[in-house]
Amino acid sequence: MKEKATSFDIAHLAGVSQSTVSRALNNSPLVNQETRDRVQRIARELNYKVDKNASNLRKQKSSTIALLLFEDPTSDDSMINPFFLAMLGSITRACAQANYDLLVSFQNLEDDWHAEYEDSNKADGIILLGYGDYTDYQNKVAQLESQGTHFVRWGAPDEAHPGVSIGCDNYQGGQSITEHLIALGKRSFAFIGDNGEHAPEFKARYNGYFETLMAHGLDKSSVQENANSTEDAGSEAIKSLLQNKALPQAIVCASDLIAMGVLRALRQAKVNVPDDVAVVGYDNIAVSAYTTPSLTTVQQNTKLAGELLVNTLLKAINNEEVEDYLMPADIIIRQSCGSD
């Protein structure tokens, strides 16, 4: 049986040194394009595969990124927010393009997920998706920082813990969707979702919503019902609203999952959407286009988010300067607000 080709075989056939072969196979700009093309062509002809373990050992790197995906309350047993599933595909592709493996780990909120991934060489850095109760999460993020762990998180920037975050401008998203509803002539409102410190992204959406109402002199027309990001929570919040308060002209939900529960409860109560009340969500998860009626929502660009998370983390791993980034939020107009 013929032995596997080595980088020395390629070097001999290409007429270059073994170190030049290594650089060429890694697309180093230190090697001119003609030589890179010749080396890579010979490598393909010899069916040469880079020994990643040996390469990583030399570099003292694992060439692996750990993605910690945190459980979320859900109406089923999945405990995974579908918004993050959409982002996962983009993260996977971005890692592959950078020649990094992706280690996906589903975390129970009580787990010691701030364990030393880098020190054990499991991963060169960590991406954090989700957080549960933000106050507990902050303490663990602080420990990651004190350990010098390379990490980037999805979510709102946090001045108290300045570890790099990639997120959506939730304030602007809440502001934009509320301006749209006001432009449709809506004058009384309800916000469904937690607006406290335990959920900073929901809080930012609420602030954008409420301050827009204030700017138009409509803040006294607003009510708020707490709900976590589940259909059941949205349904229960609307039942409470219908029992204790007058039906508003528009309901702004802090997530699409909440909005779906709201739509279900309104349908059961024989309330017509959008004729009796407009309903909007936030996230633009895939199923929001197929609700009855289809859901007007705020889109967070999951493709761009995944790419930014990976590329920012790789910069941090390479000790390059990194900073927080807030993506703009876009309104997706469908039938549930009566303007499609």
Side-chain angles (χ1 to χ4, degrees):
M1 183 179 294
K2 185 179 178 181
E3 293 183 359
K4 291 193 299 183
T6 69
S7 59
F8 293 101
D9 296 327
I10 299 172
H12 173 72
L13 293 172
V16 298
S17 68
Q18 190 272 341
S19 59
T20 298
V21 169
S22 178
R23 293 190 186 99
L25 293 177
N26 284 289
N27 289 308
S28 170
L30 297 176
V31 180
N32 67 57
Q33 188 64 52
E34 180 184 353
T35 301
R36 271 189 277 168
D37 291 343
R38 183 169 73 255
V39 168
Q40 291 174 8
R41 174 180 55 77
I42 293 170
R44 287 194 298 272
E45 291 171 354
L46 296 179
N47 197 29
Y48 174 77
K49 303 293 183 185
V50 176
D51 186 343
K52 289 184 69 176
N53 290 333
S55 175
N56 292 339
L57 186 61
R58 289 192 298 271
K59 297 175 184 175
Q60 291 298 301
K61 287 186 175 181
S62 67
S63 289
T64 298
I65 287 174
L67 170 63
L68 304 192
L69 183 62
F70 295 90
E71 67 178 16
D72 261 326
T74 57
S75 300
D76 56 20
D77 293 331
S78 70
M79 302 299 284
I80 298 176
N81 189 323
F83 171 72
F84 291 131
L85 291 179
M87 200 182 293
L88 180 58
S90 177
I91 291 172
T92 303
R93 286 190 296 273
C95 285
Q97 289 167 1
N99 293 317
Y100 262 72
D101 291 327
L102 182 66
L103 170 66
V104 180
S105 179
F106 184 64
Q107 298 292 314
N108 183 286
L109 294 174
E110 286 77 34
D111 288 346
D112 290 330
W113 50 264
H114 52 307
E116 298 173 355
Y117 269 81
E118 291 186 84
D119 288 351
S120 62
N121 273 334
K122 286 183 180 178
D124 299 329
I126 302 172
I127 295 173
L128 306 174
L129 292 186
Y131 48 76
D133 187 319
Y134 194 70
T135 53
D136 179 59
Y137 172 85
Q138 285 179 308
N139 295 329
K140 293 183 178 180
V141 166
Q143 185 164 337
L144 288 179
E145 289 177 338
S146 68
Q147 294 168 183
T149 301
H150 296 116
F151 72 97
V152 61
R153 63 175 181 264
W154 171 261
D158 179 6
E159 293 181 2
H161 298 290
V164 176
S165 66
I166 305 297
C168 184
D169 191 338
N170 290 291
Y171 180 91
Q172 176 251 313
Q175 185 180 52
S176 297
I177 197 68
T178 308
E179 288 281 8
H180 177 69
L181 291 168
I182 292 171
L184 293 176
K186 308 304 179 185
R187 293 296 180 268
S188 59
F189 297 82
F191 183 92
I192 311 299
D194 189 348
N195 68 345
E197 300 299 329
H198 295 276
E201 290 174 293
F202 280 15
K203 180 179 175 61
R205 294 168 196 178
Y206 175 81
N207 288 343
Y209 152 87
F210 191 75
E211 290 178 23
T212 301
L213 294 184
M214 289 179 63
H216 288 270
L218 296 171
D219 49 296
K220 291 182 173 58
S221 72
S222 172
V223 295
Q224 185 263 335
E225 293 279 347
N226 278 333
N228 61 28
S229 192
T230 65
E231 292 182 49
D232 290 345
S235 181
E236 290 303 313
I238 282 301
K239 290 176 183 177
S240 173
L241 181 70
L242 293 175
Q243 183 176 357
N244 300 311
K245 302 176 183 70
L247 184 70
Q249 293 177 340
I251 298 173
V252 177
C253 301
S255 76
D256 286 349
L257 290 176
I258 290 173
M260 290 172 194
V262 166
L263 290 175
R264 182 179 67 198
L266 290 173
R267 188 163 52 248
Q268 291 170 349
K270 310 299 183 186
V271 175
N272 184 276
V273 177
D275 293 342
D276 298 330
V277 58
V279 176
V280 298
Y282 203 109
D283 286 338
N284 194 33
I285 60 176
V287 73
S288 64
Y290 304 102
T291 58
T292 304
S294 58
L295 184 64
T296 293
T297 187
V298 179
Q299 176 173 267
Q300 304 185 80
N301 189 333
T302 53
K303 181 178 184 297
L304 176 61
E307 293 169 354
L308 287 170
L309 284 164
V310 172
N311 293 336
T312 300
L313 180 58
L314 292 178
K315 284 183 179 180
I317 290 169
N318 292 320
N319 296 315
E320 299 176 34
E321 185 176 350
V322 293
E323 58 185 4
D324 295 334
Y325 185 88
L326 276 183
M327 301 184 300
D330 300 312
I331 300 176
I332 306 298
I333 300 173
R334 300 194 182 102
Q335 298 168 344
S336 67
C337 64
S339 56
D340 183 40

